[in-house]
Amino acid sequence: MIINSVEPMQIDAGIANSLDVNEAEAMAVNDVYDEANAPSPDFTVSSCTIELDNYVTQYSGLYRLQRLLFIANHCPSIQLDALRLAVHFVQETSNVEMYRRIHAMLADIPNQNGDPSNQRPRLSFSQSWVDEAQKAANTRFEKLDSDLRSYKSNSIKESIRRGHCDLGKHYLQTGELQLSLKSFSRARDYCTSSKHVIEMCFNVIGVNILLNNWFHVHNYVLKAEQTPDVAESQSKKAATKGAWLKCAAGVAELAFGRYKSAAKAFLTVCVDNCPDDFISPSNVAAYGGLCALASFDRTELQKNVLSNVNFKQLLELEPQLREIIHCFYNSNYATCFSMLDEMRNNFLLDLYLSPHVTPLYKMIRERALCQYFSPYTSIDMNNMAAAFNTSLPALQEELSGLIQSDMIAGRIDSHNKVLYARQVDHRNDTFSRALALGEEYERRTTALLARAAVTKAQLMVAWRQAESNGAGSNPVIGLPSSTIASSSFSPVH
């Protein structure tokens, strides 16, 4: 928020305090959602098909390190390989604390795996790198801080903006995310063009993604999308920025559990403009495909996914998911859910998708059951169980839950194992709708007759300005006489 009555330099402290309050509110929102939907934080995945060497090339910076540590925490079979890669990439930054954390995890691997005699080669802790990184970081900070103070003393807004951005990038390199967020946020009061506003929004969104502050991500995406350079420009660069913002918005919607909104955001992304830092083209295909399966009906799935040229190119990167979507649309549910189960472990090891795998799979299965039964008045549950590759008792339990939640209008014959559609009395329904329509017609006719009578009599409700206290216009009817100069029904002349 830009304050015009004071110099921007005078409100830096206020920005920091208000930022802390907003961050606390956003973290509270995220905590409520994660507590309700996230799997146990100590869940483990026994095996996966992720090729780490190819996987890490799709991301950059701290986003890549976060993903590697998430995999290392939840998949013991590739934990050592993930940590080795993390050590390599963390040395490209000045993040000493993360370097120490990774080596602490490496030291605990034999105990975690229950194999103390494991003789796999280890990466040694480099104290010299730690000392050099800290020294270089301190030197760089002193220079940036000195430059920023000089810019403030000269009151050069553009230089101050660049100084805050440089300081924010320095904190990002050292892993001090809260300080980085404050520095990037302070730059907003020195933005003098839409280009500066977009740069500030991108910096703030990037740090908030690392902090999982999805409330702020959503707000700053809206702010960036409203700037002319993104909203009106048709250039390739503007399209790339727009795709990055759509991906950030989609991940935020996914974090909030708004799967249909998330799907719509991801489905607008083109493979040529897809980001390569916090999310990859394969992630966009996976997130968009799963959210679409869970929230779109058949018509929307055909129109927005299967007939979407841009998204079909993304699905080429995930051929198994593409086949799942086609099987779902063609009602080949046994194959569809079999392939989904094969991909489940990989999805559980995704940093942003992991908390939502269980609810998404549940929603997809419920939608499939409803879609399968919709054309029938009755169906043999044995055939239905075979179509879904499940047991009859498990299917009956699922159907009972859907009937109780009114997702399926039916009833179960437990003895004959038949599911019947609930019979609707169309004659009674038609009479009820006709009576309701008649009552509405009578009400409208009465209102029209009353209006015609008032117009014919040339009557109106007089309005007077309340002169005693300078208040706005008030209707005569119902107001105290002390605040009305005069009140009456008068004919129109």
Side-chain angles (χ1 to χ4, degrees):
M1 172 173 150
I2 299 177
I3 301 177
N4 297 321
S5 60
V6 296
E7 285 295 320
M9 289 181 296
Q10 300 175 13
I11 61 174
D12 283 349
I15 292 174
N17 294 334
S18 63
L19 186 64
D20 291 339
V21 174
N22 291 335
E23 285 169 4
E25 293 175 353
M27 291 296 285
V29 172
N30 293 330
D31 288 344
V32 170
Y33 176 76
D34 290 340
E35 189 175 328
N37 296 281
S40 174
D42 57 351
F43 76 94
T44 57
V45 174
S46 58
S47 62
C48 68
T49 59
I50 296 176
E51 296 180 5
L52 286 177
D53 291 334
N54 295 330
Y55 180 82
V56 296
T57 60
Q58 303 177 59
Y59 312 99
S60 62
L62 285 177
Y63 307 108
R64 174 164 50 196
L65 288 169
Q66 279 191 343
R67 286 180 175 271
L68 284 171
L69 292 180
F70 185 82
I71 292 173
N73 283 328
H74 298 291
C75 188
S77 62
I78 57 173
Q79 183 182 39
L80 183 58
D81 294 332
L83 291 177
R84 283 178 171 175
L85 287 170
V87 169
H88 170 73
F89 289 114
V90 78
Q91 289 181 311
E92 296 178 359
T93 71
S94 300
N95 197 334
V96 175
E97 291 302 320
M98 183 172 285
Y99 181 79
R100 288 173 173 160
R101 176 186 168 193
I102 294 170
H103 273 281
M105 294 174 66
L106 280 168
D108 291 341
I109 286 181
N111 294 332
Q112 290 178 355
N113 291 341
D115 184 14
S117 62
N118 200 330
Q119 300 298 322
R120 287 176 292 185
R122 297 287 170 173
L123 295 174
S124 59
F125 182 85
S126 176
Q127 185 62 42
S128 61
W129 179 88
V130 171
D131 295 338
E132 290 175 5
Q134 287 180 328
K135 182 179 179 180
N138 291 336
T139 303
R140 187 165 59 250
F141 171 75
E142 291 173 1
K143 181 182 182 303
L144 293 174
D145 188 56
S146 176
D147 291 344
L148 182 58
R149 291 178 185 275
S150 175
Y151 298 149
K152 287 186 175 182
S153 64
N154 295 326
S155 298
I156 306 173
K157 293 186 70 173
E158 173 58 16
S159 298
I160 297 171
R161 185 191 68 82
R162 288 202 310 267
H164 280 303
C165 288
D166 291 341
L167 199 57
K169 292 175 183 177
H170 163 74
Y171 285 132
L172 197 60
Q173 280 287 309
T174 58
E176 299 171 279
L177 298 182
Q178 294 290 350
L179 293 176
S180 176
L181 181 59
K182 290 179 182 179
S183 294
F184 285 138
S185 298
R186 285 171 177 166
R188 62 186 168 183
D189 295 297
Y190 306 95
C191 296
T192 57
S193 67
S194 59
K195 181 179 178 182
H196 295 162
V197 174
I198 292 173
E199 182 183 356
M200 180 274 300
C201 288
F202 272 63
N203 289 332
V204 172
I205 291 169
V207 180
N208 277 311
I209 289 174
L210 291 168
L211 290 169
N212 293 337
N213 286 343
W214 304 115
F215 179 78
H216 286 317
V217 170
H218 186 267
N219 287 344
Y220 276 93
V221 165
L222 294 178
K223 181 180 179 66
E225 288 179 337
Q226 293 169 359
T227 57
D229 285 359
V230 172
E232 301 173 4
S233 177
Q234 302 296 325
S235 65
K236 170 71 174 177
K237 189 175 182 180
T240 302
K241 291 180 178 179
W244 195 93
L245 291 172
K246 286 296 183 183
C247 289
V251 174
E253 296 288 358
L254 178 65
F256 291 136
R258 298 195 285 256
Y259 301 129
K260 191 163 190 174
S261 298
K264 290 179 179 179
F266 291 123
L267 290 173
T268 61
V269 178
C270 177
V271 66
D272 296 331
N273 302 323
C274 200
D276 59 355
D277 45 11
F278 74 96
I279 195 172
S280 70
S282 296
N283 293 146
V284 174
Y287 299 174
L290 288 177
C291 290
L293 285 175
S295 57
F296 285 179
D297 57 30
R298 284 180 59 84
T299 304
E300 291 174 319
L301 198 64
Q302 170 64 33
K303 178 181 178 182
N304 299 325
V305 180
L306 298 177
S307 299
N308 187 330
V309 177
N310 291 332
F311 195 72
K312 284 172 71 175
Q313 294 177 349
L314 285 168
L315 285 176
E316 293 296 329
L317 303 173
E318 291 287 343
Q320 195 170 1
L321 182 62
R322 179 193 60 199
E323 186 65 23
I324 288 171
I325 294 174
H326 281 285
C327 288
F328 185 90
Y329 183 77
N330 295 323
S331 302
N332 189 0
Y333 298 117
T335 304
C336 172
F337 289 110
S338 175
M339 296 176 71
L340 275 173
D341 289 339
E342 292 175 5
M343 299 187 70
R344 186 184 183 95
N345 285 351
N346 286 3
F347 291 149
L348 285 172
L349 292 177
D350 186 278
L351 179 63
Y352 305 128
L353 186 60
S354 180
H356 308 277
V357 172
T358 300
L360 280 172
Y361 273 46
K362 181 181 178 183
M363 291 174 66
I364 293 170
R365 188 168 183 86
E366 289 175 348
R367 185 170 291 275
L369 289 167
C370 295
Q371 184 174 291
Y372 185 90
F373 178 63
S374 59
Y376 299 101
T377 56
S378 64
I379 189 171
D380 188 338
M381 291 173 57
N382 292 290
N383 296 336
M384 194 172 181
F388 282 87
N389 194 23
T390 186
S391 64
L392 192 59
L395 176 65
Q396 184 169 332
E397 185 177 351
E398 287 184 276
L399 292 175
S400 299
L402 292 174
I403 292 172
Q404 290 174 1
S405 59
D406 293 328
M407 295 182 68
I408 288 181
R411 56 190 179 83
I412 298 174
D413 183 346
S414 299
H415 178 70
N416 297 316
K417 302 302 179 184
V418 177
L419 176 63
Y420 292 97
R422 189 176 301 158
Q423 297 297 324
V424 178
D425 190 343
H426 296 287
R427 181 184 178 87
N428 185 51
D429 184 58
T430 301
F431 276 114
S432 298
R433 286 189 285 109
L435 289 172
L437 187 61
E439 291 173 359
E440 177 65 15
Y441 177 78
E442 182 181 6
R443 186 189 68 79
R444 291 192 177 210
T445 303
T446 303
L448 286 172
L449 291 173
R451 180 179 177 83
V454 169
T455 303
K456 183 177 181 180
Q458 296 183 336
L459 297 177
M460 64 174 289
V461 178
W463 289 69
R464 297 290 184 268
Q465 183 75 19
E467 300 175 355
S468 59
N469 54 8
S473 298
N474 292 292
V476 170
I477 297 176
L479 290 180
S481 58
S482 60
T483 62
I484 304 297
S486 63
S487 62
S488 63
F489 286 90
S490 58
V492 178
H493 299 292

